[in-house]
Amino acid sequence: MTKHLTENCIFCKIIRGEIPSHKVAETEKSYCFLDINPLSEGHCLVIPKYHAEYFHLVPDEYLADILPLARKVALASGLADGQYNLLQNNGPMAHQQVFHVHFHIIPKPNPEQGLKVGWPMQKVEQNDLKATLDRIKEKL
Ligand code: AMP
Ligand code: ZN
């Protein structure tokens, strides 16, 4: 699977074993390891063994492999009745820092640990929702 990796990407290097990582699990198409600066204990990253900057650039067969692995790790890394965030950032404005697609699995053991989410909801008119719907559906 190394033919889909690039030379200078830090996560490609981790997959190839050129940079050390705390490996949690791997499949033929995916690799999971501990985040080096965790938001909570058990914070993991699951990545495709395919170098792509963004989620929408990953081929279906890699996406099909990665979520079942993410679920296994979420069950294993969280607490018994665990709550967690499964998070995936695309682009600097969306807080992406490493440009090899990765899913964060961030256990939320209590209100203080894990991801702090600001969720700035906006009020919109029905007409605006309809216009949005039309815009998206036109491109699907
Ligand atoms: P993002 O902001 O979604 O791009 O997150 C990148 C994540 O990669 C951060 O949570 C970092 O702590 C993590 N990270 C960066 N370098 C490494 C590394 N060498 N090993 C493990 N995690 C890393
Ligand atoms: Zn890469």
Side-chain angles (χ1 to χ4, degrees), residues 11-113:
F11 285 179
C12 285
K13 287 182 178 177
I14 283 177
I15 292 167
R16 281 197 298 266
E18 293 168 13
I19 290 180
S21 68
H22 296 89
K23 181 173 108 175
V24 174
E26 74 178 312
T27 67
E28 190 196 345
K29 292 193 170 66
S30 309
Y31 188 90
C32 177
F33 56 110
L34 292 182
D35 194 295
I36 205 165
N37 294 125
L39 295 186
S40 58
E41 188 196 354
H43 181 168
C44 295
L45 301 174
V46 192
I47 62 178
K49 292 181 178 177
Y50 181 103
H51 180 84
E53 286 193 11
Y54 303 129
F55 169 73
H56 58 268
L57 299 175
V58 181
D60 283 356
E61 66 262 33
Y62 288 84
L63 293 182
D65 189 78
I66 207 164
L67 282 184
L69 181 60
R71 174 169 53 196
K72 275 191 198 162
V73 172
L75 287 168
S77 67
L79 303 176
D81 62 345
Q83 301 185 47
Y84 60 92
N85 290 98
L86 179 64
L87 176 75
Q88 204 276 311
N89 300 322
N90 294 282
M93 279 201 298
H95 306 286
Q96 185 179 13
Q97 290 178 340
V98 176
F99 290 89
H100 179 127
V101 170
H102 49 280
F103 289 77
H104 294 260
I105 299 169
I106 310 168
K108 187 84 181 166
N110 58 53
E112 281 72 46
Q113 283 190 53

